[in-house]
Amino acid sequence: MNPRLIGGEMPVWTDRDPVRGAALVPLLAAAARGRVLVAGPHDPALLDALPPADLTLLVRGLPDARRLAERYPDATVCCGDLAKLAAEPPFDTVVALDGLGRLSSAEAEPPPWAEAFALLLGALRPGGTLLLGVENMVGTHRLIAFAPDPATAGWSPADTHDPGRPAGLDRLRAHLTAAGLGTPAVYAAWPSPAAPEVLLGEAACADDDLRGWATAALARACRTTAPALTDPARLAVDALRHGAAAHLAPAWIVTARRGDTGADTDVAAVAGAEVVRRRDGHWWRHRAGGAERVPAGRTLTEVVTAAVLRRDLPAVREALGAWQDSTAAGVHADQIVVDRAGTLTALAAPGDPVLALHALAADLLGGGLPLPWPGPLDEAGLTRLLAAMTGRDVDPPTGTPRRTGPLTVRELTAERDRLARELADARAQAAWRERALTERETALDQAWRLVALLSDTGPARAGRALLGGFKAARGTARAVVRRLR
Amino acid sequence: MHHANHYYGHSHVLARWCGLDPRRPPRIRGYLQHGWNIGDGMAGDHSYVPGVPTLVWSERTRRRAWALGRHDTYVVGAPWAYLLRMSPEPDAPREGTIWYPFHGWEGQRVVGDHARLVDEIRATEPGPVTVCLYWQEFQSPRLRRRYERAGFRVVCHGYRGGRYRDLDPDFLDRQLAEQRRHARVASNRLSSAVLYGALAGCEPAVYGDPMVLENEDPSLGGQDRIRREWPELHGPRPDPAAARAVAAAELGADRLLPPAELRRILGWPDEYQETYVDDAALPGIRR
């Protein structure tokens, strides 16, 4: 019978937001061997990547189980609590990318993390492979989040205060090793535990050669317009730059083999492509159609931002000029890698160069950086200035700026402060201009009167009369003097 | 914006660089540094308006201005450096020294022994000497004669201008032409003129009694600090290459903005400004 009700099943429950993401597919495909158990809610696109013959799926909600049974008639679909799965013979591969939080049923006391982990591990035979997702309780996704709505927190929201849950990446590794999983490979996953789009192995997080590529991938994956405390893309890229990417990732994806002592972490993945460091020390990108060398370097946005902060305008000019003179002119600067020789490699398809400049301007302004150009500068104004630095005169979109980034508290506060400052400045300048105008008007008035008096034309009749009177008096006086002589 | 932007024809030179009519440059959106100093680059007696940026010559001045509390400050380079880029070096031999005795500005007075200075110049300078006086001093026949009697040629580059009047758009051109006739530039104080000369290809020197400006404010370190911080330019024979590098940095010659970019920074052209009218075409002129 499919689905099999193993106990603890929840008749009207559905787990929303199953873990998903094309970046997970290569890991899944590489790990799945023999009898495979997939525990917890997983997106069908991930399940499709698995051989259906020896596949067992475990979910706790009956509607979910029925849907799966319909979609995968050859798989064994179990519905119920993980604890009830103990009777099953062990599996060669156990997949729990959604984590351990949604494996227990409402019918039982929710197990602490370590207990759930032990139960899951119990389903794995010696030498088998575990693929596990672990949410980072201080991942960037949590650092930027507003307070959650208590009403929707579920019936077991105590994860963050579970003393047995490995605290941080190092303790997670130690926990896995102590459980007999050798040296696990841990991939830092962005932008969220439920939908990772970028996976970075340990070496991928640390190797400067891959930084440009990884930065571009993070900028792309974390781009969002959802409200947040601060821009997740900026935070993720900062974390990568400062060597904290592995520790601040929203989730870790672990692949580990029972009894194995070695793991390959020289891997990074995004949707549709996997990047691997070969023995030659270089990173190669594998995708359908072949492999290509990943350019080593930094993104153009990073190069420009660093030069802007150093106030090195010649360097900014050079970087912008090289970009706008190249075929990558229409590619967003955060999707271009600049290698040490200054060669640009575009990681995305080109669009309109003006919009690409506009995006860079928005990025520079949104970062709240001290810019080396006098303000007040809006996105259109800075776009024109950046274009002028390349010798171009462009006409960017004006009017109400289109919000390209997220609506964040940090950016909103900065914007409010900027507007308040600009208003105060504008008032002071208006007062100064009033004074200057009055001064200049007075000077002009006096100059005109003088011109009229001296030119003997125009409307200065009163002045002429004055001069005329003076001349007449002088004439009379002279006549009197002549007669007296 | 500020009338001091027109001093020495600075705004005129920048208008020329920007491809605008240099006869009447538009208002600059900001306060332009108009002389080299060891403070924030700006004149202490001007009033500044919040939100109006300060445009200084060099990165060093910008950093110093920041440290002195002037944060809304940006580097554009000195008008002199722009002028040099626009004026090709003439193919003529250079000879002698152009010497700038330290001077006060409008309303200021310098106290010092000019006779002793004359002796020191004669003892130091190998060739003919041209003494350049500020217009106030140039108007004093007594002072002019003092230098002429020593056998020096005496010149004046022109008026600085003030409050939009007596503007002298050709001031820097005259100064450049004069400096390019000379092999050396010297003064008793490190000043804009010495830095200008060094950048214009003269061998610079700073020596002799620096004299005292009446009511001079030494709060920023005064002459002692200048000698300590810029030793490359002091003495009768400093290393010309090192001095020139310092001058280029102080004048922001390495930071000049291309015309299109400078136009954006200065807020040019002024969309309200009307075409310049020649004297002969002024309304009301009888022909």
Side-chain angles (χ1 to χ4, degrees):
Chain A
M1 180 199 163
N2 224 2
R4 268 173 50 199
L5 307 180
I6 60 172
E9 67 274 4
M10 299 162 71
V12 292
W13 178 260
T14 267
D15 280 310
R16 291 196 186 128
D17 266 346
V19 62
R20 59 196 175 274
L24 293 168
V25 171
L27 277 187
L28 204 54
R33 296 281 178 276
R35 291 187 69 230
V36 177
L37 167 68
V38 178
H42 287 68
D43 187 63
L46 294 179
L47 301 178
D48 289 347
L50 296 168
D54 253 345
L55 184 60
T56 301
L57 307 174
L58 170 68
V59 288
R60 54 187 181 174
L62 196 53
D64 292 345
R66 288 204 177 108
R67 265 194 296 274
L68 288 173
E70 199 173 316
R71 185 174 174 119
Y72 303 103
D74 295 335
T76 307
V77 178
C78 297
C79 183
D81 193 301
L82 172 66
K84 306 287 184 182
L85 200 70
E88 288 288 319
F91 292 86
D92 300 302
T93 307
V94 171
V95 177
L97 290 172
D98 190 64
L100 303 176
R102 299 200 275 185
L103 298 177
S104 64
S105 150
E107 302 304 326
E109 184 81 14
W113 190 91
E115 197 177 302
F117 177 74
L119 280 173
L120 191 70
L121 204 58
L124 187 66
R125 71 158 177 77
T129 300
L130 174 69
L131 199 54
L132 175 68
V134 181
E135 182 180 1
N136 180 2
M137 292 301 166
V138 289
T140 53
H141 68 305
R142 281 179 173 258
L143 299 181
I144 65 162
F146 290 98
D149 179 359
T152 60
W155 67 84
S156 175
D159 253 2
T160 53
H161 287 81
D162 176 354
R165 193 179 196 282
L169 179 58
D170 296 336
R171 291 196 196 175
L172 174 64
R173 277 185 211 287
H175 192 95
L176 296 168
T177 304
L181 288 168
T183 311
V186 180
Y187 300 93
W190 271 276
S192 68
E197 290 174 37
V198 179
L199 302 178
L200 298 176
E202 198 177 3
C205 280
D207 192 338
D208 271 351
D209 277 355
L210 194 65
R211 207 174 90 196
W213 181 88
T215 302
L218 288 182
R220 211 167 45 234
C222 299
R223 198 175 286 154
T224 172
T225 50
L229 294 182
T230 187
D231 181 357
R234 219 177 284 284
L235 190 58
V237 167
D238 280 352
L240 185 71
R241 187 181 316 115
H242 296 289
H247 294 276
L248 290 179
W252 298 297
I253 306 293
V254 176
T255 63
R257 188 163 296 155
R258 267 190 117 161
D260 191 10
T261 52
D264 179 18
T265 64
D266 290 6
V267 174
V270 293
E274 196 178 35
V275 169
V276 177
R277 186 161 65 182
R278 289 186 182 168
R279 286 206 179 128
D280 63 4
H282 298 303
W283 293 87
W284 291 79
R285 184 179 189 201
H286 297 262
R287 57 177 165 182
E292 61 189 9
R293 200 86 172 251
V294 175
R298 292 184 295 159
T299 63
L300 181 62
T301 299
E302 282 212 293
V303 170
V304 171
T305 306
V308 159
L309 290 176
R310 288 197 312 273
R311 300 233 162 195
D312 188 350
L313 288 181
V316 175
R317 208 171 287 128
E318 189 185 354
L320 293 177
W323 174 33
Q324 287 302 297
D325 290 342
S326 77
T327 52
V331 180
H332 283 207
D334 66 5
Q335 297 303 312
I336 294 175
V337 175
V338 187
D339 70 12
R340 287 186 190 88
T343 310
L344 307 182
T345 306
L347 301 177
D352 180 353
V354 178
L355 292 182
L357 279 168
H358 192 265
L360 178 63
D363 200 42
L364 290 171
L365 287 169
L369 309 171
L371 298 180
W373 305 287
L377 274 176
D378 58 7
E379 290 180 9
L382 184 54
T383 306
R384 283 195 201 93
L385 182 56
L386 295 178
M389 292 186 83
T390 72
R392 288 168 174 77
D393 196 9
V394 302
D395 196 14
T398 50
T400 311
R402 189 170 46 89
R403 183 172 290 283
T404 49
L407 188 70
T408 71
V409 173
R410 182 177 183 271
E411 276 76 15
L412 280 178
T413 317
E415 201 164 289
R416 185 207 56 197
D417 291 349
R418 179 179 62 78
L419 289 172
R421 200 167 47 242
E422 280 181 15
L423 182 60
D425 289 351
R427 284 180 175 150
Q429 287 168 32
W432 185 89
R433 288 201 170 90
E434 281 292 329
R435 201 177 66 214
L437 189 61
T438 306
E439 268 176 31
R440 303 301 295 273
E441 277 176 351
T442 306
L444 189 62
D445 171 57
Q446 290 173 359
W448 277 120
R449 279 161 53 199
L450 195 63
V451 166
L453 285 172
L454 296 175
S455 66
D456 205 26
T457 60
R461 294 183 184 282
R464 271 215 317 281
L466 179 72
L467 275 181
F470 172 71
K471 283 175 185 166
R474 194 175 57 186
T476 310
R478 281 178 185 156
V480 170
V481 169
R482 269 198 302 272
R483 277 181 204 160
L484 287 175
R485 279 176 185 162
Chain B
M1 178 155 201
H2 200 278
H3 72 89
N5 292 346
H6 299 311
Y7 282 0
Y8 309 111
H10 277 162
S11 55
H12 300 77
V13 168
L14 295 184
R16 216 190 304 170
W17 175 263
C18 287
L20 303 181
D21 188 340
R23 289 173 299 181
R24 187 159 184 275
R27 277 192 307 279
I28 289 174
R29 199 173 56 196
Y31 298 108
L32 183 63
Q33 179 180 355
H34 65 261
W36 181 84
N37 68 26
I38 60 169
D40 58 12
M42 308 311 288
D45 57 346
H46 290 169
S47 58
Y48 298 93
V49 183
V52 177
T54 303
L55 307 171
V56 297
W57 293 354
S58 71
E59 261 305 306
R60 185 173 181 173
T61 305
R62 184 194 70 77
R63 290 192 299 269
R64 199 188 304 128
W66 205 97
L68 290 169
R70 196 182 289 289
H71 293 185
D72 197 8
T73 301
Y74 308 87
V75 178
V76 295
W80 179 262
Y82 288 96
L83 180 66
L84 250 67
R85 288 271 186 95
M86 290 186 285
S87 317
E89 171 94 35
D91 189 19
R94 290 167 174 255
E95 192 190 22
T97 303
I98 182 160
W99 224 100
Y100 292 89
F102 173 62
H103 65 82
W105 288 266
E106 284 76 352
Q108 294 176 318
R109 216 166 66 83
V110 174
V111 183
D113 185 345
H114 284 266
R116 212 174 68 196
L117 188 62
V118 166
D119 291 344
E120 209 162 351
I121 294 172
R122 283 164 100 169
T124 310
E125 294 306 327
V129 173
T130 302
V131 167
C132 179
L133 297 179
Y134 197 57
W135 70 269
Q136 287 169 305
E137 289 156 352
F138 190 76
Q139 281 183 337
S140 156
R142 199 171 57 83
L143 199 60
R144 261 199 338 257
R145 267 201 303 279
R146 176 178 298 192
Y147 287 106
E148 280 164 355
R149 272 203 298 270
F152 302 157
R153 177 175 156 253
V154 179
V155 298
C156 175
H157 293 323
Y159 287 113
R160 177 177 79 168
R163 303 211 68 83
Y164 313 100
R165 301 186 66 174
D166 299 327
L167 302 185
D168 195 347
D170 299 327
F171 187 102
L172 293 186
D173 288 281
R174 277 196 295 276
Q175 184 167 18
L176 180 58
E178 225 17 282
Q179 290 197 342
R180 279 178 166 169
R181 293 173 57 183
H182 294 87
R184 280 169 57 83
V185 62
S187 179
N188 45 342
R189 279 196 184 197
L190 182 55
S191 59
S192 306
V194 175
L195 296 168
Y196 285 0
L199 196 67
C202 302
E203 292 185 9
V206 177
Y207 61 89
D209 176 7
M211 302 196 180
V212 179
L213 196 60
E214 214 172 37
N215 302 323
E216 188 164 344
D217 174 17
S219 60
L220 290 171
Q223 289 305 300
D224 286 349
R225 176 163 161 247
I226 294 182
R227 284 178 187 278
R228 273 199 318 276
E229 287 290 339
W230 290 273
E232 299 90 343
L233 285 144
H234 283 88
R237 295 253 180 288
D239 171 15
R244 189 183 153 79
V246 171
E250 293 292 339
L251 299 175
D254 54 341
R255 293 297 176 122
L256 302 191
L257 308 181
E261 205 177 317
L262 187 60
R263 281 198 296 266
R264 291 254 161 242
I265 298 295
L266 303 181
W268 286 358
D270 175 349
E271 58 183 303
Y272 303 110
Q273 188 170 336
E274 293 175 11
T275 314
Y276 183 81
V277 177
D278 284 322
D279 290 352
L282 284 172
I285 293 285
R286 290 194 195 129
R287 292 185 185 85

